[in-house]
Amino acid sequence: MVCSSCASGTIDSLADKRWRRVLWIALAINLAMFAGEIVAGVASGSRSLQADALDFLGDAANYAISLGVAGMALQWRSRAAVLKGGTILLFGIYVLITTLIAALGDGVPRAETMGAVGLLALLANGGVALMLYRYRSGDANMRSVWICSRNDAIGNLAVLAAAAGVVGTGTQWPDLIVAGIMASLGIVGGSQILRRALGELGQRNAVRPEVSLPEVTSLIN
Ligand SMILES: [Zn+2]
C-alpha cells in the first residue's frame, strides 16, 4: 500500500537536528527494505513481495522529499513529487503486468522466503514508526505517521497471509491475488500523487507565484 502521508513536517520541525537524523535513518531503512523485497521477491518468485516493495519506495521518497524541503524551491518540490508519483505508477504497472503473466504459468513462489521477508518488513515498519514517535519533533504530523504505519502493517500482513495461503493451497494464487490488489492500489496512489503534483506545477506557472504553507505541506506529503 502506498502511503501518501508519511513523515510530514514543516520547516520548523526540520530545523531540529535530531528529527532530521531520524528521517535519514527512516530513509535508509526504507531504501534497504525496498531493495531487499525486490531481490527476495524476484529470487523467490513472489509477486506480493515485489508489490509490497512499492510502499517502501514511496515512503523512502517521502522521507527524501521531507529532508530536502528546507532548502528546496517550491517548483523543485513539485517536480520531486512528479518523479515520485511517476515512479510509483510505472512500478505498479510493472508488478501488475508481471503478476498477470505469472497467472498464465503454474510456478509456486517460495513461501518460506515470503514469510521471512514479510516479517522483516513488518519489523522494519514497526521500528520506524516507534522511532518517529519517540523522537517526534514539535509540529510533526503524528496522525499521518500513525495512519501510514497502520497501512504499511496491513500490507506486510497481507504478504504473510499470502505466504500461509501458498503453503495451504500449494498454488501461487494467494500470492498473485495479494500482488494484484497491492499493485492496483499502487497504481491508483501513484496516479493521484502525479496528478496533484502536475496540477500544482501548472497552477503555479499559470497564476500565482505565492503558495501558502498548507499547500506546501500537502505537497510534500
Ligand atoms: Zn508506507
Side-chain angles (χ1 to χ4, degrees), residues 13-199:
S13 68
L14 286 163
D16 182 342
K17 252 187 186 163
R18 200 181 53 174
W19 181 243
R20 286 185 69 85
R21 195 164 58 221
V22 164
L23 290 183
W24 274 110
I25 296 169
L27 171 61
I29 291 175
N30 276 273
L31 275 181
M33 284 308 304
F34 166 67
E37 281 201 323
I38 292 294
V39 171
V42 171
S44 65
S46 167
R47 318 288 152 181
S48 65
L49 268 184
Q50 295 176 56
D52 196 38
L54 261 172
D55 179 74
F56 285 114
L57 176 65
D59 291 352
N62 284 337
Y63 295 122
I65 292 173
S66 290
L67 279 163
V69 156
M72 219 195 280
L74 274 178
Q75 208 163 37
W76 281 104
R77 252 168 268 165
S78 303
R79 285 176 188 154
V82 168
L83 185 67
K84 174 181 118 182
T87 307
I88 291 171
L89 177 63
L90 286 178
F91 197 73
I93 292 171
Y94 157 78
V95 173
L96 191 60
I97 289 173
T98 58
T99 299
L100 292 173
I101 291 170
L104 301 173
D106 53 6
V108 178
R110 264 185 246 125
E112 63 278 10
T113 307
M114 293 170 64
V117 178
L119 196 62
L120 188 66
L122 191 61
L123 291 175
N125 278 320
V128 168
L130 279 179
M131 187 177 68
L132 291 175
Y133 183 75
R134 170 85 177 74
Y135 295 102
R136 66 192 180 279
S137 181
D139 60 351
N141 188 341
M142 291 317 292
R143 187 175 152 70
S144 71
V145 169
W146 156 245
I147 292 169
C148 189
S149 309
R150 188 194 56 192
N151 291 348
D152 290 351
I154 291 172
N156 304 147
L157 290 171
V159 172
L160 292 178
V166 167
V167 173
T169 63
T171 70
Q172 61 173 345
W173 289 105
D175 183 52
L176 295 183
I177 292 166
V178 168
I181 293 170
M182 290 173 86
S184 304
L185 288 172
I187 290 169
V188 171
S191 324
Q192 283 169 349
I193 295 166
L194 189 61
R195 201 176 326 128
R196 193 170 60 177
L198 285 173

